[in-house]
Amino acid sequence: MPKNSNKLKFVFIMCFISLFSTISTVVFLSVIDAGTHQVVQKNYLAIGIFCIALLAACYCLSHLFVHRILQSFFGLFAFIHEVKETRDYSLRIKPKLGSGLAVVGRNINDMLESIHADSELNRMNARRLVAAQESMSRMSRYDTLTGLPNRKYFMETLERILAQSKRDNRDLALMFFDLDGFRRVNETYGHKTGDALLVEVANRARSLLRKGDIIARLGTDEFLILFYNDLHEVTVNEIAKRLATTLSQPYSIDSWQLEVTASIGITVASDSDFDIKELVSNADIALYHAKNSGPGNYIIFATHMKEEKNRRLDIANALGQAITENEFQLVYQAKVNRADEIVGYEALIRWNSKSLGFIPPDEFIQIAEQSGKISLITFWVLETLCKDMSTFISQHGSHIKLSFNLSALDLREAYLSNKIASLLEQYNVDGRNIEIEVTESVYLDNFDSSNIFFEDMAKLNCSIALDDFGTGYSSLGYLTQINIDTLKIDKQFVGHITESNKSKLVTKAIIEMGKQLGLEVCAEGVETVEQANLLKESGCHQLQGYLYSKPTPIDKLFS
Ligand code: C2E
Ligand code: MG
Ligand code: MG
């Protein structure tokens, strides 16, 4: 029992003793007053005993009273105190309180019942809240698909590590990799398979890391690895090679055997003076170069790459006003049949930038694609070509075909078909006079959208040519599923047919295959009469190259 209730009990007992003593004394004195004065005076002993007996009786009575009546109060106080101290709302008052207090006890129990239920609910909600908070904070730091740190968390960690490494004068390596043709995996096998592939890629990459190294997923198929451990160029080279090899092993996913490769860009922190932005940008530049050097390659950052990136940025900026400033020009290169008669022209773009000078299409088309400006250029080309069409028809007759090149990103524009249709209508151009050149990679990177687009073009009577054939894909299986009119053999085969027997055999085989598939075959890059003769003998339908004409502006063609 708590101290306070002992004190209270004592006070109560003393009060009762005093009360009973007072009453007894008053009764005794009233007896004296009633005439027994003398008897009392003579018998002090008896009076004393009487008083003690009276006191004892008082004590017993009061004790009894305290036990019987106040016990319940004290029990109640003690219980309330216990609940207050322990905050245990599952405690209940035992039903031994006196009848009056039993009701109070029951009410207190009821009250505790609801407090207990509320506090349990609160506790449960708090637990849920903590769990939700934990999962949110995890989600904000980790990628939900692969479980790897995400960009934000990786950058925070990298910033800390870089600061420390700079203080310790200790170099680090950063590796940036992405999968070649991942979009095609998604398109061909579906997103579920694509996701499973990414998880497997993350696991394989993770298995190569040593303690302290960090891997993160930055975006769709983009990953960053920070090598924290000892660093020599050889080590980085070896790791990159091992990573490339590991990731290029076949993947068994959903009963598919997938083969993908990764392009890898590598840089070291000292090349960026431990600046996080520059470090990541350098890794990105190296990756860009790796990608351009073909699938499955890795490249280590070198400072000249930064200058190239700056040039790309300058080109991307200058492209913004190239159309409005009238800096583009179309040149036309003739295509001839086996009788050397002109049957068509390919429109090729030229750009004389006021600020940067002449920039070849091979350089700026890719930048236009990356900076989202390619469609504007493609529509400018088609519009210019439509405007020029009447001149070509008047010079060569209505059978003439003008072709233009389509870029990979054009096919992602949902309104491409409509835009072409409306330009043909606007300039009153017959689709039969138009041929569209797409490369294998453009076509295969957008297989489904390409087929839909080709159907739309067939409705407009436009024909389709597969450009640079033989340079992109090793698998020819797709040729049976596509709807094209012409195969254009790449100039790299044509360039060697008179010197290399292998090139001659490959070129002949392509021509034969094209013919068997019912396609027109056109050879590009024909520069010599020998090449032309060999191609004609092999059955090639059309020839194009410097032998017949260089790409020339329209005003010089017919002057
Ligand atoms: P392409 O479509 O395969 O065009 C053929 C390229 O080979 C042209 O280079 C042409 O000038 C060049 N060529 C033609 N005959 C010969 C020859 O006998 N020998 C050699 N060595 N080369 C020859 P160009 O004009 O520099 O274009 C390069 C590439 O840029 C084109 O390859 C095409 O992919 C792209 N391109 C050009 N104009 C456009 C355009 O308007 N739109 C798009 N999207 N791409 C374009
Ligand atoms: Mg072309
Ligand atoms: Mg070509």
mmCIF file with all atom_site columns, all heavy atoms in Angstrom, residues 248-266:
data_model
loop_
_atom_site.group_PDB
_atom_site.id
_atom_site.type_symbol
_atom_site.label_atom_id
_atom_site.label_alt_id
_atom_site.label_comp_id
_atom_site.label_asym_id
_atom_site.label_entity_id
_atom_site.label_seq_id
_atom_site.pdbx_PDB_ins_code
_atom_site.Cartn_x
_atom_site.Cartn_y
_atom_site.Cartn_z
_atom_site.occupancy
_atom_site.B_iso_or_equiv
_atom_site.pdbx_formal_charge
_atom_site.auth_seq_id
_atom_site.auth_comp_id
_atom_site.auth_asym_id
_atom_site.auth_atom_id
_atom_site.pdbx_PDB_model_num
ATOM 1   N N   . SER A 1 248 ? 26.683 -10.369 -70.612 1.00 0.00 ? 248 SER A N   1
ATOM 2   C CA  . SER A 1 248 ? 26.325 -10.822 -71.968 1.00 0.00 ? 248 SER A CA  1
ATOM 3   C C   . SER A 1 248 ? 26.008 -12.326 -72.019 1.00 0.00 ? 248 SER A C   1
ATOM 4   O O   . SER A 1 248 ? 25.640 -12.833 -73.072 1.00 0.00 ? 248 SER A O   1
ATOM 5   C CB  . SER A 1 248 ? 27.443 -10.475 -72.949 1.00 0.00 ? 248 SER A CB  1
ATOM 6   O OG  . SER A 1 248 ? 28.586 -11.208 -72.588 1.00 0.00 ? 248 SER A OG  1
ATOM 7   N N   . GLN A 1 249 ? 26.139 -13.015 -70.874 1.00 0.00 ? 249 GLN A N   1
ATOM 8   C CA  . GLN A 1 249 ? 25.753 -14.440 -70.867 1.00 0.00 ? 249 GLN A CA  1
ATOM 9   C C   . GLN A 1 249 ? 24.235 -14.538 -71.054 1.00 0.00 ? 249 GLN A C   1
ATOM 10  O O   . GLN A 1 249 ? 23.504 -13.667 -70.570 1.00 0.00 ? 249 GLN A O   1
ATOM 11  C CB  . GLN A 1 249 ? 26.112 -15.098 -69.519 1.00 0.00 ? 249 GLN A CB  1
ATOM 12  C CG  . GLN A 1 249 ? 27.593 -15.046 -69.163 1.00 0.00 ? 249 GLN A CG  1
ATOM 13  C CD  . GLN A 1 249 ? 28.479 -15.620 -70.247 1.00 0.00 ? 249 GLN A CD  1
ATOM 14  O OE1 . GLN A 1 249 ? 28.237 -16.723 -70.710 1.00 0.00 ? 249 GLN A OE1 1
ATOM 15  N NE2 . GLN A 1 249 ? 29.471 -14.852 -70.676 1.00 0.00 ? 249 GLN A NE2 1
ATOM 16  N N   . PRO A 1 250 ? 23.742 -15.592 -71.710 1.00 0.00 ? 250 PRO A N   1
ATOM 17  C CA  . PRO A 1 250 ? 22.290 -15.688 -71.958 1.00 0.00 ? 250 PRO A CA  1
ATOM 18  C C   . PRO A 1 250 ? 21.486 -15.698 -70.650 1.00 0.00 ? 250 PRO A C   1
ATOM 19  O O   . PRO A 1 250 ? 21.958 -16.195 -69.628 1.00 0.00 ? 250 PRO A O   1
ATOM 20  C CB  . PRO A 1 250 ? 22.146 -17.031 -72.677 1.00 0.00 ? 250 PRO A CB  1
ATOM 21  C CG  . PRO A 1 250 ? 23.489 -17.359 -73.181 1.00 0.00 ? 250 PRO A CG  1
ATOM 22  C CD  . PRO A 1 250 ? 24.481 -16.713 -72.286 1.00 0.00 ? 250 PRO A CD  1
ATOM 23  N N   . TYR A 1 251 ? 20.285 -15.128 -70.728 1.00 0.00 ? 251 TYR A N   1
ATOM 24  C CA  . TYR A 1 251 ? 19.376 -15.066 -69.568 1.00 0.00 ? 251 TYR A CA  1
ATOM 25  C C   . TYR A 1 251 ? 18.192 -15.987 -69.844 1.00 0.00 ? 251 TYR A C   1
ATOM 26  O O   . TYR A 1 251 ? 17.599 -15.907 -70.927 1.00 0.00 ? 251 TYR A O   1
ATOM 27  C CB  . TYR A 1 251 ? 18.828 -13.652 -69.370 1.00 0.00 ? 251 TYR A CB  1
ATOM 28  C CG  . TYR A 1 251 ? 19.879 -12.624 -69.044 1.00 0.00 ? 251 TYR A CG  1
ATOM 29  C CD1 . TYR A 1 251 ? 20.683 -12.084 -70.046 1.00 0.00 ? 251 TYR A CD1 1
ATOM 30  C CD2 . TYR A 1 251 ? 20.064 -12.182 -67.744 1.00 0.00 ? 251 TYR A CD2 1
ATOM 31  C CE1 . TYR A 1 251 ? 21.653 -11.128 -69.762 1.00 0.00 ? 251 TYR A CE1 1
ATOM 32  C CE2 . TYR A 1 251 ? 21.030 -11.222 -67.441 1.00 0.00 ? 251 TYR A CE2 1
ATOM 33  C CZ  . TYR A 1 251 ? 21.813 -10.710 -68.458 1.00 0.00 ? 251 TYR A CZ  1
ATOM 34  O OH  . TYR A 1 251 ? 22.763 -9.775  -68.165 1.00 0.00 ? 251 TYR A OH  1
ATOM 35  N N   . SER A 1 252 ? 17.868 -16.830 -68.871 1.00 0.00 ? 252 SER A N   1
ATOM 36  C CA  . SER A 1 252 ? 16.660 -17.665 -69.026 1.00 0.00 ? 252 SER A CA  1
ATOM 37  C C   . SER A 1 252 ? 15.535 -17.002 -68.251 1.00 0.00 ? 252 SER A C   1
ATOM 38  O O   . SER A 1 252 ? 15.521 -17.034 -67.029 1.00 0.00 ? 252 SER A O   1
ATOM 39  C CB  . SER A 1 252 ? 16.880 -19.052 -68.435 1.00 0.00 ? 252 SER A CB  1
ATOM 40  O OG  . SER A 1 252 ? 17.869 -19.691 -69.162 1.00 0.00 ? 252 SER A OG  1
ATOM 41  N N   . ILE A 1 253 ? 14.629 -16.394 -68.968 1.00 0.00 ? 253 ILE A N   1
ATOM 42  C CA  . ILE A 1 253 ? 13.530 -15.679 -68.305 1.00 0.00 ? 253 ILE A CA  1
ATOM 43  C C   . ILE A 1 253 ? 12.208 -16.080 -68.945 1.00 0.00 ? 253 ILE A C   1
ATOM 44  O O   . ILE A 1 253 ? 12.042 -15.956 -70.169 1.00 0.00 ? 253 ILE A O   1
ATOM 45  C CB  . ILE A 1 253 ? 13.748 -14.155 -68.387 1.00 0.00 ? 253 ILE A CB  1
ATOM 46  C CG1 . ILE A 1 253 ? 14.951 -13.774 -67.528 1.00 0.00 ? 253 ILE A CG1 1
ATOM 47  C CG2 . ILE A 1 253 ? 12.517 -13.396 -67.886 1.00 0.00 ? 253 ILE A CG2 1
ATOM 48  C CD1 . ILE A 1 253 ? 15.472 -12.399 -67.729 1.00 0.00 ? 253 ILE A CD1 1
ATOM 49  N N   . ASP A 1 254 ? 11.279 -16.537 -68.105 1.00 0.00 ? 254 ASP A N   1
ATOM 50  C CA  . ASP A 1 254 ? 9.942  -16.921 -68.585 1.00 0.00 ? 254 ASP A CA  1
ATOM 51  C C   . ASP A 1 254 ? 10.035 -17.846 -69.800 1.00 0.00 ? 254 ASP A C   1
ATOM 52  O O   . ASP A 1 254 ? 9.370  -17.605 -70.813 1.00 0.00 ? 254 ASP A O   1
ATOM 53  C CB  . ASP A 1 254 ? 9.118  -15.680 -68.989 1.00 0.00 ? 254 ASP A CB  1
ATOM 54  C CG  . ASP A 1 254 ? 8.868  -14.773 -67.817 1.00 0.00 ? 254 ASP A CG  1
ATOM 55  O OD1 . ASP A 1 254 ? 9.002  -15.236 -66.672 1.00 0.00 ? 254 ASP A OD1 1
ATOM 56  O OD2 . ASP A 1 254 ? 8.549  -13.594 -68.066 1.00 0.00 ? 254 ASP A OD2 1
ATOM 57  N N   . SER A 1 255 ? 10.858 -18.815 -69.734 1.00 0.00 ? 255 SER A N   1
ATOM 58  C CA  . SER A 1 255 ? 11.075 -19.786 -70.803 1.00 0.00 ? 255 SER A CA  1
ATOM 59  C C   . SER A 1 255 ? 11.657 -19.168 -72.093 1.00 0.00 ? 255 SER A C   1
ATOM 60  O O   . SER A 1 255 ? 11.691 -19.796 -73.137 1.00 0.00 ? 255 SER A O   1
ATOM 61  C CB  . SER A 1 255 ? 9.799  -20.578 -71.129 1.00 0.00 ? 255 SER A CB  1
ATOM 62  O OG  . SER A 1 255 ? 8.892  -19.765 -71.819 1.00 0.00 ? 255 SER A OG  1
ATOM 63  N N   . TRP A 1 256 ? 12.110 -17.899 -71.989 1.00 0.00 ? 256 TRP A N   1
ATOM 64  C CA  . TRP A 1 256 ? 12.822 -17.289 -73.123 1.00 0.00 ? 256 TRP A CA  1
ATOM 65  C C   . TRP A 1 256 ? 14.316 -17.379 -72.849 1.00 0.00 ? 256 TRP A C   1
ATOM 66  O O   . TRP A 1 256 ? 14.738 -17.287 -71.696 1.00 0.00 ? 256 TRP A O   1
ATOM 67  C CB  . TRP A 1 256 ? 12.472 -15.797 -73.280 1.00 0.00 ? 256 TRP A CB  1
ATOM 68  C CG  . TRP A 1 256 ? 11.034 -15.497 -73.547 1.00 0.00 ? 256 TRP A CG  1
ATOM 69  C CD1 . TRP A 1 256 ? 10.146 -14.938 -72.681 1.00 0.00 ? 256 TRP A CD1 1
ATOM 70  C CD2 . TRP A 1 256 ? 10.323 -15.713 -74.758 1.00 0.00 ? 256 TRP A CD2 1
ATOM 71  N NE1 . TRP A 1 256 ? 8.920  -14.795 -73.260 1.00 0.00 ? 256 TRP A NE1 1
ATOM 72  C CE2 . TRP A 1 256 ? 8.995  -15.261 -74.556 1.00 0.00 ? 256 TRP A CE2 1
ATOM 73  C CE3 . TRP A 1 256 ? 10.678 -16.245 -76.002 1.00 0.00 ? 256 TRP A CE3 1
ATOM 74  C CZ2 . TRP A 1 256 ? 8.027  -15.322 -75.530 1.00 0.00 ? 256 TRP A CZ2 1
ATOM 75  C CZ3 . TRP A 1 256 ? 9.705  -16.289 -76.984 1.00 0.00 ? 256 TRP A CZ3 1
ATOM 76  C CH2 . TRP A 1 256 ? 8.395  -15.840 -76.739 1.00 0.00 ? 256 TRP A CH2 1
ATOM 77  N N   . GLN A 1 257 ? 15.097 -17.489 -73.893 1.00 0.00 ? 257 GLN A N   1
ATOM 78  C CA  . GLN A 1 257 ? 16.549 -17.368 -73.775 1.00 0.00 ? 257 GLN A CA  1
ATOM 79  C C   . GLN A 1 257 ? 16.904 -15.996 -74.324 1.00 0.00 ? 257 GLN A C   1
ATOM 80  O O   . GLN A 1 257 ? 16.856 -15.793 -75.533 1.00 0.00 ? 257 GLN A O   1
ATOM 81  C CB  . GLN A 1 257 ? 17.255 -18.440 -74.609 1.00 0.00 ? 257 GLN A CB  1
ATOM 82  C CG  . GLN A 1 257 ? 17.366 -19.777 -73.929 1.00 0.00 ? 257 GLN A CG  1
ATOM 83  C CD  . GLN A 1 257 ? 18.489 -19.773 -72.894 1.00 0.00 ? 257 GLN A CD  1
ATOM 84  O OE1 . GLN A 1 257 ? 18.205 -19.712 -71.705 1.00 0.00 ? 257 GLN A OE1 1
ATOM 85  N NE2 . GLN A 1 257 ? 19.728 -19.827 -73.316 1.00 0.00 ? 257 GLN A NE2 1
ATOM 86  N N   . LEU A 1 258 ? 17.217 -15.065 -73.449 1.00 0.00 ? 258 LEU A N   1
ATOM 87  C CA  . LEU A 1 258 ? 17.489 -13.700 -73.928 1.00 0.00 ? 258 LEU A CA  1
ATOM 88  C C   . LEU A 1 258 ? 18.987 -13.453 -73.981 1.00 0.00 ? 258 LEU A C   1
ATOM 89  O O   . LEU A 1 258 ? 19.727 -13.871 -73.095 1.00 0.00 ? 258 LEU A O   1
ATOM 90  C CB  . LEU A 1 258 ? 16.867 -12.666 -73.001 1.00 0.00 ? 258 LEU A CB  1
ATOM 91  C CG  . LEU A 1 258 ? 15.363 -12.735 -72.790 1.00 0.00 ? 258 LEU A CG  1
ATOM 92  C CD1 . LEU A 1 258 ? 14.893 -11.579 -71.940 1.00 0.00 ? 258 LEU A CD1 1
ATOM 93  C CD2 . LEU A 1 258 ? 14.664 -12.678 -74.145 1.00 0.00 ? 258 LEU A CD2 1
ATOM 94  N N   . GLU A 1 259 ? 19.388 -12.735 -75.036 1.00 0.00 ? 259 GLU A N   1
ATOM 95  C CA  . GLU A 1 259 ? 20.796 -12.361 -75.118 1.00 0.00 ? 259 GLU A CA  1
ATOM 96  C C   . GLU A 1 259 ? 20.878 -10.857 -75.228 1.00 0.00 ? 259 GLU A C   1
ATOM 97  O O   . GLU A 1 259 ? 20.361 -10.270 -76.181 1.00 0.00 ? 259 GLU A O   1
ATOM 98  C CB  . GLU A 1 259 ? 21.452 -13.037 -76.316 1.00 0.00 ? 259 GLU A CB  1
ATOM 99  C CG  . GLU A 1 259 ? 21.674 -14.509 -76.048 1.00 0.00 ? 259 GLU A CG  1
ATOM 100 C CD  . GLU A 1 259 ? 22.584 -15.175 -77.052 1.00 0.00 ? 259 GLU A CD  1
ATOM 101 O OE1 . GLU A 1 259 ? 23.329 -14.476 -77.744 1.00 0.00 ? 259 GLU A OE1 1
ATOM 102 O OE2 . GLU A 1 259 ? 22.531 -16.416 -77.127 1.00 0.00 ? 259 GLU A OE2 1
ATOM 103 N N   . VAL A 1 260 ? 21.471 -10.229 -74.224 1.00 0.00 ? 260 VAL A N   1
ATOM 104 C CA  . VAL A 1 260 ? 21.650 -8.775  -74.284 1.00 0.00 ? 260 VAL A CA  1
ATOM 105 C C   . VAL A 1 260 ? 23.099 -8.450  -73.917 1.00 0.00 ? 260 VAL A C   1
ATOM 106 O O   . VAL A 1 260 ? 23.773 -9.249  -73.284 1.00 0.00 ? 260 VAL A O   1
ATOM 107 C CB  . VAL A 1 260 ? 20.722 -8.009  -73.311 1.00 0.00 ? 260 VAL A CB  1
ATOM 108 C CG1 . VAL A 1 260 ? 19.299 -7.978  -73.760 1.00 0.00 ? 260 VAL A CG1 1
ATOM 109 C CG2 . VAL A 1 260 ? 20.831 -8.556  -71.903 1.00 0.00 ? 260 VAL A CG2 1
ATOM 110 N N   . THR A 1 261 ? 23.515 -7.264  -74.326 1.00 0.00 ? 261 THR A N   1
ATOM 111 C CA  . THR A 1 261 ? 24.855 -6.816  -73.939 1.00 0.00 ? 261 THR A CA  1
ATOM 112 C C   . THR A 1 261 ? 24.715 -5.485  -73.220 1.00 0.00 ? 261 THR A C   1
ATOM 113 O O   . THR A 1 261 ? 23.672 -4.836  -73.306 1.00 0.00 ? 261 THR A O   1
ATOM 114 C CB  . THR A 1 261 ? 25.755 -6.627  -75.177 1.00 0.00 ? 261 THR A CB  1
ATOM 115 O OG1 . THR A 1 261 ? 25.058 -5.788  -76.095 1.00 0.00 ? 261 THR A OG1 1
ATOM 116 C CG2 . THR A 1 261 ? 26.093 -7.946  -75.825 1.00 0.00 ? 261 THR A CG2 1
ATOM 117 N N   . ALA A 1 262 ? 25.787 -5.104  -72.526 1.00 0.00 ? 262 ALA A N   1
ATOM 118 C CA  . ALA A 1 262 ? 25.771 -3.811  -71.837 1.00 0.00 ? 262 ALA A CA  1
ATOM 119 C C   . ALA A 1 262 ? 26.897 -2.949  -72.370 1.00 0.00 ? 262 ALA A C   1
ATOM 120 O O   . ALA A 1 262 ? 27.986 -3.441  -72.661 1.00 0.00 ? 262 ALA A O   1
ATOM 121 C CB  . ALA A 1 262 ? 25.942 -4.017  -70.343 1.00 0.00 ? 262 ALA A CB  1
ATOM 122 N N   . SER A 1 263 ? 26.626 -1.645  -72.521 1.00 0.00 ? 263 SER A N   1
ATOM 123 C CA  . SER A 1 263 ? 27.690 -0.693  -72.857 1.00 0.00 ? 263 SER A CA  1
ATOM 124 C C   . SER A 1 263 ? 28.114 -0.032  -71.557 1.00 0.00 ? 263 SER A C   1
ATOM 125 O O   . SER A 1 263 ? 27.269 0.294   -70.720 1.00 0.00 ? 263 SER A O   1
ATOM 126 C CB  . SER A 1 263 ? 27.175 0.375   -73.814 1.00 0.00 ? 263 SER A CB  1
ATOM 127 O OG  . SER A 1 263 ? 26.832 -0.223  -75.032 1.00 0.00 ? 263 SER A OG  1
ATOM 128 N N   . ILE A 1 264 ? 29.429 0.141   -71.404 1.00 0.00 ? 264 ILE A N   1
ATOM 129 C CA  . ILE A 1 264 ? 29.937 0.615   -70.112 1.00 0.00 ? 264 ILE A CA  1
ATOM 130 C C   . ILE A 1 264 ? 30.850 1.826   -70.294 1.00 0.00 ? 264 ILE A C   1
ATOM 131 O O   . ILE A 1 264 ? 31.759 1.811   -71.130 1.00 0.00 ? 264 ILE A O   1
ATOM 132 C CB  . ILE A 1 264 ? 30.736 -0.519  -69.404 1.00 0.00 ? 264 ILE A CB  1
ATOM 133 C CG1 . ILE A 1 264 ? 29.854 -1.773  -69.279 1.00 0.00 ? 264 ILE A CG1 1
ATOM 134 C CG2 . ILE A 1 264 ? 31.211 -0.070  -68.023 1.00 0.00 ? 264 ILE A CG2 1
ATOM 135 C CD1 . ILE A 1 264 ? 30.627 -3.029  -68.911 1.00 0.00 ? 264 ILE A CD1 1
ATOM 136 N N   . GLY A 1 265 ? 30.603 2.866   -69.509 1.00 0.00 ? 265 GLY A N   1
ATOM 137 C CA  . GLY A 1 265 ? 31.480 4.053   -69.490 1.00 0.00 ? 265 GLY A CA  1
ATOM 138 C C   . GLY A 1 265 ? 32.148 4.128   -68.127 1.00 0.00 ? 265 GLY A C   1
ATOM 139 O O   . GLY A 1 265 ? 31.493 3.929   -67.110 1.00 0.00 ? 265 GLY A O   1
ATOM 140 N N   . ILE A 1 266 ? 33.453 4.395   -68.118 1.00 0.00 ? 266 ILE A N   1
ATOM 141 C CA  . ILE A 1 266 ? 34.178 4.411   -66.834 1.00 0.00 ? 266 ILE A CA  1
ATOM 142 C C   . ILE A 1 266 ? 34.941 5.724   -66.693 1.00 0.00 ? 266 ILE A C   1
ATOM 143 O O   . ILE A 1 266 ? 35.471 6.252   -67.679 1.00 0.00 ? 266 ILE A O   1
ATOM 144 C CB  . ILE A 1 266 ? 35.210 3.266   -66.769 1.00 0.00 ? 266 ILE A CB  1
ATOM 145 C CG1 . ILE A 1 266 ? 34.547 1.957   -67.191 1.00 0.00 ? 266 ILE A CG1 1
ATOM 146 C CG2 . ILE A 1 266 ? 35.793 3.128   -65.368 1.00 0.00 ? 266 ILE A CG2 1
ATOM 147 C CD1 . ILE A 1 266 ? 35.523 0.984   -67.791 1.00 0.00 ? 266 ILE A CD1 1
#
